[in-house]
Amino acid sequence: MSKKSKKTKKKNKRYKGHRVTKAILLILIILLIIVAAVIAGGWNYVDELLGKIKHEAIDTSQIGIDTLSEKNLKGYRNIALLGIDSRENDYGSGNRSDCIVIASINEKTNEVKLISVYRDTYLQIKENGKNRLDKVTHAYAYGGPQNALLALNTNLDLNIKEYVAVNFQAVATAVDQLGGVTLNIKQSEINYINEYIAETARVAGKKAK
């Protein structure tokens, strides 16, 4: 083989090597662009969800936490989970907290316990500046989340400073995300259920069947 042929062969190999390198770099760049797009899209989705969260400042000096409760519950983070009966995007006073669950977190062991407080439990709650015996569900209606925390803390000797409130639509969406709930309805129950299904379907954005 002549020297010229050898040089041409080496040049062709080098050229092919450059083409392979460029192809690999191009693939890597495309993959990086795809990954960046996925991350950006995911972040925008999360940011959109977080943007729907409303924050309401709570005056922690006015929610009934006494010194003894603070001492006894040191190391426990208690959070009130409130499901209110609002059918609209309204979380203020006037809505009742039909579901009340206290999430108690042991900050040493990370153990979480959920304690339900029935909505019709009678407690001393504040209405228009005066205490009265009433259903705990009405505490939220009379003074929003701050009044609900006040009722729970003063009656149950708790140290709740945080809460999460969701409305009727949020609960329906959560149930759908978890795969729904299957109910076995008896014939004797159908007429009673049909009295409520139209309104429930409208609020949940579902078609009544």
mmCIF file of all heavy atoms in Angstrom, residues 115-150:
data_model
loop_
_atom_site.group_PDB
_atom_site.id
_atom_site.type_symbol
_atom_site.label_atom_id
_atom_site.label_comp_id
_atom_site.label_asym_id
_atom_site.label_seq_id
_atom_site.Cartn_x
_atom_site.Cartn_y
_atom_site.Cartn_z
ATOM 1 N N ILE A 115 -55.737 11.715 65.398
ATOM 2 C CA ILE A 115 -56.843 11.662 66.360
ATOM 3 C C ILE A 115 -58.018 12.460 65.799
ATOM 4 O O ILE A 115 -57.879 13.643 65.470
ATOM 5 C CB ILE A 115 -56.425 12.243 67.728
ATOM 6 C CG1 ILE A 115 -55.211 11.504 68.283
ATOM 7 C CG2 ILE A 115 -57.566 12.161 68.716
ATOM 8 C CD1 ILE A 115 -53.897 12.200 68.035
ATOM 9 N N SER A 116 -59.167 11.814 65.692
ATOM 10 C CA SER A 116 -60.346 12.489 65.155
ATOM 11 C C SER A 116 -61.172 13.098 66.282
ATOM 12 O O SER A 116 -61.399 12.468 67.316
ATOM 13 C CB SER A 116 -61.205 11.493 64.360
ATOM 14 O OG SER A 116 -62.372 12.122 63.876
ATOM 15 N N VAL A 117 -61.606 14.334 66.061
ATOM 16 C CA VAL A 117 -62.523 15.008 66.991
ATOM 17 C C VAL A 117 -63.851 15.156 66.264
ATOM 18 O O VAL A 117 -63.940 15.853 65.255
ATOM 19 C CB VAL A 117 -61.989 16.395 67.412
ATOM 20 C CG1 VAL A 117 -62.971 17.067 68.386
ATOM 21 C CG2 VAL A 117 -60.608 16.280 68.039
ATOM 22 N N TYR A 118 -64.872 14.485 66.740
ATOM 23 C CA TYR A 118 -66.166 14.513 66.052
ATOM 24 C C TYR A 118 -66.715 15.937 65.995
ATOM 25 O O TYR A 118 -66.680 16.685 66.978
ATOM 26 C CB TYR A 118 -67.168 13.599 66.736
ATOM 27 C CG TYR A 118 -66.782 12.138 66.720
ATOM 28 C CD1 TYR A 118 -67.111 11.295 67.772
ATOM 29 C CD2 TYR A 118 -66.072 11.604 65.651
ATOM 30 C CE1 TYR A 118 -66.759 9.951 67.760
ATOM 31 C CE2 TYR A 118 -65.706 10.269 65.624
ATOM 32 C CZ TYR A 118 -66.056 9.444 66.678
ATOM 33 O OH TYR A 118 -65.692 8.123 66.664
ATOM 34 N N ARG A 119 -67.260 16.285 64.846
ATOM 35 C CA ARG A 119 -67.757 17.648 64.610
ATOM 36 C C ARG A 119 -68.836 18.056 65.593
ATOM 37 O O ARG A 119 -68.999 19.243 65.882
ATOM 38 C CB ARG A 119 -68.294 17.761 63.173
ATOM 39 C CG ARG A 119 -69.561 16.942 62.949
ATOM 40 C CD ARG A 119 -70.074 17.031 61.520
ATOM 41 N NE ARG A 119 -70.483 18.361 61.130
ATOM 42 C CZ ARG A 119 -71.628 18.946 61.460
ATOM 43 N NH1 ARG A 119 -72.483 18.304 62.275
ATOM 44 N NH2 ARG A 119 -71.920 20.138 61.023
ATOM 45 N N ASP A 120 -69.616 17.114 66.101
ATOM 46 C CA ASP A 120 -70.722 17.447 67.004
ATOM 47 C C ASP A 120 -70.328 17.367 68.482
ATOM 48 O O ASP A 120 -71.204 17.393 69.359
ATOM 49 C CB ASP A 120 -71.916 16.518 66.741
ATOM 50 C CG ASP A 120 -72.576 16.808 65.396
ATOM 51 O OD1 ASP A 120 -72.396 17.923 64.882
ATOM 52 O OD2 ASP A 120 -73.262 15.917 64.861
ATOM 53 N N THR A 121 -69.020 17.262 68.740
ATOM 54 C CA THR A 121 -68.563 17.264 70.133
ATOM 55 C C THR A 121 -68.819 18.635 70.746
ATOM 56 O O THR A 121 -68.442 19.665 70.181
ATOM 57 C CB THR A 121 -67.049 16.956 70.204
ATOM 58 O OG1 THR A 121 -66.808 15.691 69.575
ATOM 59 C CG2 THR A 121 -66.562 16.916 71.638
ATOM 60 N N TYR A 122 -69.464 18.657 71.890
ATOM 61 C CA TYR A 122 -69.763 19.941 72.541
ATOM 62 C C TYR A 122 -68.560 20.408 73.357
ATOM 63 O O TYR A 122 -68.078 19.711 74.249
ATOM 64 C CB TYR A 122 -70.996 19.818 73.437
ATOM 65 C CG TYR A 122 -72.284 20.032 72.687
ATOM 66 C CD1 TYR A 122 -72.867 18.998 71.960
ATOM 67 C CD2 TYR A 122 -72.906 21.282 72.674
ATOM 68 C CE1 TYR A 122 -74.040 19.188 71.255
ATOM 69 C CE2 TYR A 122 -74.088 21.485 71.977
ATOM 70 C CZ TYR A 122 -74.654 20.442 71.269
ATOM 71 O OH TYR A 122 -75.811 20.653 70.562
ATOM 72 N N LEU A 123 -68.080 21.609 73.029
ATOM 73 C CA LEU A 123 -66.958 22.227 73.738
ATOM 74 C C LEU A 123 -67.297 23.680 74.032
ATOM 75 O O LEU A 123 -68.239 24.242 73.461
ATOM 76 C CB LEU A 123 -65.683 22.176 72.879
ATOM 77 C CG LEU A 123 -65.164 20.798 72.444
ATOM 78 C CD1 LEU A 123 -63.914 20.973 71.577
ATOM 79 C CD2 LEU A 123 -64.844 19.928 73.650
ATOM 80 N N GLN A 124 -66.522 24.277 74.915
ATOM 81 C CA GLN A 124 -66.647 25.713 75.151
ATOM 82 C C GLN A 124 -65.957 26.435 73.994
ATOM 83 O O GLN A 124 -64.750 26.307 73.788
ATOM 84 C CB GLN A 124 -65.977 26.105 76.471
ATOM 85 C CG GLN A 124 -66.717 25.654 77.711
ATOM 86 C CD GLN A 124 -68.028 26.425 77.917
ATOM 87 O OE1 GLN A 124 -68.192 27.547 77.457
ATOM 88 N NE2 GLN A 124 -68.962 25.796 78.636
ATOM 89 N N ILE A 125 -66.737 27.153 73.195
ATOM 90 C CA ILE A 125 -66.154 27.878 72.073
ATOM 91 C C ILE A 125 -66.528 29.351 72.170
ATOM 92 O O ILE A 125 -67.469 29.727 72.863
ATOM 93 C CB ILE A 125 -66.628 27.292 70.720
ATOM 94 C CG1 ILE A 125 -68.132 27.480 70.547
ATOM 95 C CG2 ILE A 125 -66.272 25.812 70.614
ATOM 96 C CD1 ILE A 125 -68.632 27.006 69.196
ATOM 97 N N LYS A 126 -65.757 30.164 71.452
ATOM 98 C CA LYS A 126 -65.968 31.615 71.532
ATOM 99 C C LYS A 126 -66.798 32.086 70.341
ATOM 100 O O LYS A 126 -66.499 31.766 69.184
ATOM 101 C CB LYS A 126 -64.632 32.342 71.568
ATOM 102 C CG LYS A 126 -64.760 33.842 71.766
ATOM 103 C CD LYS A 126 -63.423 34.478 72.101
ATOM 104 C CE LYS A 126 -63.025 34.163 73.525
ATOM 105 N NZ LYS A 126 -61.831 34.931 73.963
ATOM 106 N N GLU A 127 -67.855 32.858 70.666
ATOM 107 C CA GLU A 127 -68.688 33.471 69.636
ATOM 108 C C GLU A 127 -68.929 34.930 70.011
ATOM 109 O O GLU A 127 -69.443 35.233 71.096
ATOM 110 C CB GLU A 127 -70.028 32.748 69.502
ATOM 111 C CG GLU A 127 -70.922 33.374 68.438
ATOM 112 C CD GLU A 127 -72.335 32.814 68.444
ATOM 113 O OE1 GLU A 127 -72.674 32.040 69.360
ATOM 114 O OE2 GLU A 127 -73.105 33.169 67.539
ATOM 115 N N ASN A 128 -68.503 35.816 69.122
ATOM 116 C CA ASN A 128 -68.640 37.250 69.367
ATOM 117 C C ASN A 128 -68.028 37.656 70.708
ATOM 118 O O ASN A 128 -68.593 38.459 71.457
ATOM 119 C CB ASN A 128 -70.121 37.670 69.314
ATOM 120 C CG ASN A 128 -70.729 37.449 67.941
ATOM 121 O OD1 ASN A 128 -70.060 37.620 66.920
ATOM 122 N ND2 ASN A 128 -71.990 37.053 67.915
ATOM 123 N N GLY A 129 -66.879 37.087 71.016
ATOM 124 C CA GLY A 129 -66.151 37.466 72.235
ATOM 125 C C GLY A 129 -66.630 36.788 73.505
ATOM 126 O O GLY A 129 -66.061 37.005 74.569
ATOM 127 N N LYS A 130 -67.668 35.960 73.418
ATOM 128 C CA LYS A 130 -68.200 35.290 74.604
ATOM 129 C C LYS A 130 -68.111 33.775 74.452
ATOM 130 O O LYS A 130 -68.309 33.235 73.365
ATOM 131 C CB LYS A 130 -69.663 35.702 74.838
ATOM 132 C CG LYS A 130 -69.843 37.187 75.131
ATOM 133 C CD LYS A 130 -71.312 37.515 75.352
ATOM 134 C CE LYS A 130 -71.502 38.998 75.678
ATOM 135 N NZ LYS A 130 -72.931 39.334 75.901
ATOM 136 N N ASN A 131 -67.800 33.098 75.555
ATOM 137 C CA ASN A 131 -67.739 31.639 75.531
ATOM 138 C C ASN A 131 -69.130 31.036 75.658
ATOM 139 O O ASN A 131 -69.962 31.531 76.410
ATOM 140 C CB ASN A 131 -66.855 31.123 76.675
ATOM 141 C CG ASN A 131 -65.384 31.372 76.412
ATOM 142 O OD1 ASN A 131 -64.931 31.326 75.267
ATOM 143 N ND2 ASN A 131 -64.622 31.630 77.459
ATOM 144 N N ARG A 132 -69.362 29.965 74.937
ATOM 145 C CA ARG A 132 -70.637 29.263 75.013
ATOM 146 C C ARG A 132 -70.403 27.791 74.695
ATOM 147 O O ARG A 132 -69.449 27.423 74.014
ATOM 148 C CB ARG A 132 -71.651 29.848 74.053
ATOM 149 C CG ARG A 132 -71.198 29.896 72.606
ATOM 150 C CD ARG A 132 -72.287 30.320 71.663
ATOM 151 N NE ARG A 132 -73.324 29.307 71.558
ATOM 152 C CZ ARG A 132 -74.361 29.411 70.733
ATOM 153 N NH1 ARG A 132 -74.515 30.496 69.988
ATOM 154 N NH2 ARG A 132 -75.262 28.457 70.673
ATOM 155 N N LEU A 133 -71.270 26.941 75.219
ATOM 156 C CA LEU A 133 -71.193 25.516 74.939
ATOM 157 C C LEU A 133 -71.865 25.255 73.597
ATOM 158 O O LEU A 133 -73.040 25.545 73.424
ATOM 159 C CB LEU A 133 -71.879 24.723 76.054
ATOM 160 C CG LEU A 133 -71.697 23.198 76.013
ATOM 161 C CD1 LEU A 133 -70.236 22.829 76.223
ATOM 162 C CD2 LEU A 133 -72.573 22.539 77.088
ATOM 163 N N ASP A 134 -71.103 24.706 72.670
ATOM 164 C CA ASP A 134 -71.640 24.506 71.327
ATOM 165 C C ASP A 134 -70.838 23.408 70.625
ATOM 166 O O ASP A 134 -69.787 22.978 71.112
ATOM 167 C CB ASP A 134 -71.565 25.803 70.523
ATOM 168 C CG ASP A 134 -72.535 25.830 69.353
ATOM 169 O OD1 ASP A 134 -73.057 24.762 68.978
ATOM 170 O OD2 ASP A 134 -72.741 26.920 68.784
ATOM 171 N N LYS A 135 -71.314 22.976 69.484
ATOM 172 C CA LYS A 135 -70.598 21.977 68.702
ATOM 173 C C LYS A 135 -69.277 22.565 68.197
ATOM 174 O O LYS A 135 -69.237 23.708 67.734
ATOM 175 C CB LYS A 135 -71.445 21.524 67.515
ATOM 176 C CG LYS A 135 -72.734 20.822 67.905
ATOM 177 C CD LYS A 135 -73.552 20.468 66.677
ATOM 178 C CE LYS A 135 -74.856 19.779 67.055
ATOM 179 N NZ LYS A 135 -75.680 19.440 65.865
ATOM 180 N N VAL A 136 -68.213 21.774 68.259
ATOM 181 C CA VAL A 136 -66.894 22.274 67.884
ATOM 182 C C VAL A 136 -66.842 22.675 66.407
ATOM 183 O O VAL A 136 -66.050 23.536 66.015
ATOM 184 C CB VAL A 136 -65.799 21.226 68.208
ATOM 185 C CG1 VAL A 136 -65.950 19.977 67.360
ATOM 186 C CG2 VAL A 136 -64.411 21.821 68.042
ATOM 187 N N THR A 137 -67.701 22.081 65.574
ATOM 188 C CA THR A 137 -67.725 22.446 64.158
ATOM 189 C C THR A 137 -68.028 23.923 63.944
ATOM 190 O O THR A 137 -67.644 24.528 62.943
ATOM 191 C CB THR A 137 -68.755 21.590 63.390
ATOM 192 O OG1 THR A 137 -68.687 21.909 62.004
ATOM 193 C CG2 THR A 137 -70.172 21.833 63.888
ATOM 194 N N HIS A 138 -68.752 24.532 64.922
ATOM 195 C CA HIS A 138 -69.144 25.933 64.789
ATOM 196 C C HIS A 138 -68.033 26.907 65.174
ATOM 197 O O HIS A 138 -68.133 28.100 64.863
ATOM 198 C CB HIS A 138 -70.389 26.223 65.642
ATOM 199 C CG HIS A 138 -71.606 25.518 65.156
ATOM 200 N ND1 HIS A 138 -72.627 25.102 65.999
ATOM 201 C CD2 HIS A 138 -71.976 25.104 63.913
ATOM 202 C CE1 HIS A 138 -73.563 24.504 65.295
ATOM 203 N NE2 HIS A 138 -73.190 24.485 64.036
ATOM 204 N N ALA A 139 -66.984 26.419 65.805
ATOM 205 C CA ALA A 139 -65.882 27.315 66.193
ATOM 206 C C ALA A 139 -65.279 27.961 64.957
ATOM 207 O O ALA A 139 -64.982 29.162 64.946
ATOM 208 C CB ALA A 139 -64.823 26.535 66.971
ATOM 209 N N TYR A 140 -65.074 27.175 63.919
ATOM 210 C CA TYR A 140 -64.534 27.715 62.661
ATOM 211 C C TYR A 140 -65.511 28.716 62.055
ATOM 212 O O TYR A 140 -65.116 29.778 61.571
ATOM 213 C CB TYR A 140 -64.267 26.568 61.683
ATOM 214 C CG TYR A 140 -63.380 26.934 60.515
ATOM 215 C CD1 TYR A 140 -62.063 26.477 60.448
ATOM 216 C CD2 TYR A 140 -63.840 27.721 59.457
ATOM 217 C CE1 TYR A 140 -61.237 26.792 59.372
ATOM 218 C CE2 TYR A 140 -63.039 28.057 58.393
ATOM 219 C CZ TYR A 140 -61.732 27.585 58.346
ATOM 220 O OH TYR A 140 -60.910 27.932 57.271
ATOM 221 N N ALA A 141 -66.792 28.379 62.098
ATOM 222 C CA ALA A 141 -67.802 29.265 61.509
ATOM 223 C C ALA A 141 -67.837 30.626 62.212
ATOM 224 O O ALA A 141 -68.053 31.652 61.577
ATOM 225 C CB ALA A 141 -69.175 28.603 61.581
ATOM 226 N N TYR A 142 -67.593 30.626 63.519
ATOM 227 C CA TYR A 142 -67.666 31.876 64.288
ATOM 228 C C TYR A 142 -66.394 32.725 64.200
ATOM 229 O O TYR A 142 -66.447 33.927 64.434
ATOM 230 C CB TYR A 142 -67.943 31.578 65.762
ATOM 231 C CG TYR A 142 -69.276 30.920 66.037
ATOM 232 C CD1 TYR A 142 -69.438 30.070 67.118
ATOM 233 C CD2 TYR A 142 -70.379 31.157 65.215
ATOM 234 C CE1 TYR A 142 -70.670 29.464 67.384
ATOM 235 C CE2 TYR A 142 -71.596 30.558 65.466
ATOM 236 C CZ TYR A 142 -71.740 29.704 66.542
ATOM 237 O OH TYR A 142 -72.953 29.098 66.798
ATOM 238 N N GLY A 143 -65.274 32.092 63.859
ATOM 239 C CA GLY A 143 -64.043 32.889 63.859
ATOM 240 C C GLY A 143 -62.899 32.317 63.051
ATOM 241 O O GLY A 143 -61.736 32.643 63.317
ATOM 242 N N GLY A 144 -63.223 31.497 62.068
ATOM 243 C CA GLY A 144 -62.197 30.972 61.190
ATOM 244 C C GLY A 144 -61.230 30.022 61.875
ATOM 245 O O GLY A 144 -61.489 29.533 62.982
ATOM 246 N N PRO A 145 -60.090 29.740 61.258
ATOM 247 C CA PRO A 145 -59.148 28.761 61.803
ATOM 248 C C PRO A 145 -58.592 29.133 63.172
ATOM 249 O O PRO A 145 -58.354 28.255 64.006
ATOM 250 C CB PRO A 145 -58.034 28.700 60.745
ATOM 251 C CG PRO A 145 -58.173 29.977 59.964
ATOM 252 C CD PRO A 145 -59.618 30.289 59.973
ATOM 253 N N GLN A 146 -58.393 30.418 63.414
ATOM 254 C CA GLN A 146 -57.847 30.823 64.710
ATOM 255 C C GLN A 146 -58.797 30.457 65.850
ATOM 256 O O GLN A 146 -58.381 29.974 66.903
ATOM 257 C CB GLN A 146 -57.560 32.327 64.733
ATOM 258 C CG GLN A 146 -57.001 32.789 66.070
ATOM 259 C CD GLN A 146 -56.030 33.943 65.945
ATOM 260 O OE1 GLN A 146 -55.319 34.075 64.961
ATOM 261 N NE2 GLN A 146 -55.995 34.787 66.952
ATOM 262 N N ASN A 147 -60.081 30.654 65.624
ATOM 263 C CA ASN A 147 -61.072 30.320 66.646
ATOM 264 C C ASN A 147 -61.185 28.805 66.825
ATOM 265 O O ASN A 147 -61.428 28.312 67.927
ATOM 266 C CB ASN A 147 -62.435 30.906 66.274
ATOM 267 C CG ASN A 147 -63.357 31.035 67.481
ATOM 268 O OD1 ASN A 147 -62.933 31.417 68.566
ATOM 269 N ND2 ASN A 147 -64.618 30.712 67.290
ATOM 270 N N ALA A 148 -60.991 28.053 65.718
ATOM 271 C CA ALA A 148 -61.029 26.591 65.803
ATOM 272 C C ALA A 148 -59.850 26.079 66.633
ATOM 273 O O ALA A 148 -60.016 25.188 67.481
ATOM 274 C CB ALA A 148 -60.985 25.988 64.400
ATOM 275 N N LEU A 149 -58.664 26.647 66.410
ATOM 276 C CA LEU A 149 -57.492 26.245 67.196
ATOM 277 C C LEU A 149 -57.672 26.623 68.660
ATOM 278 O O LEU A 149 -57.280 25.865 69.562
ATOM 279 C CB LEU A 149 -56.227 26.905 66.645
ATOM 280 C CG LEU A 149 -55.810 26.559 65.214
ATOM 281 C CD1 LEU A 149 -54.397 27.061 64.940
ATOM 282 C CD2 LEU A 149 -55.907 25.078 64.940
ATOM 283 N N LEU A 150 -58.271 27.767 68.916
ATOM 284 C CA LEU A 150 -58.527 28.215 70.285
ATOM 285 C C LEU A 150 -59.414 27.204 71.013
ATOM 286 O O LEU A 150 -59.135 26.828 72.157
ATOM 287 C CB LEU A 150 -59.196 29.589 70.270
ATOM 288 C CG LEU A 150 -59.647 30.155 71.627
ATOM 289 C CD1 LEU A 150 -58.439 30.385 72.531
ATOM 290 C CD2 LEU A 150 -60.422 31.457 71.436
#
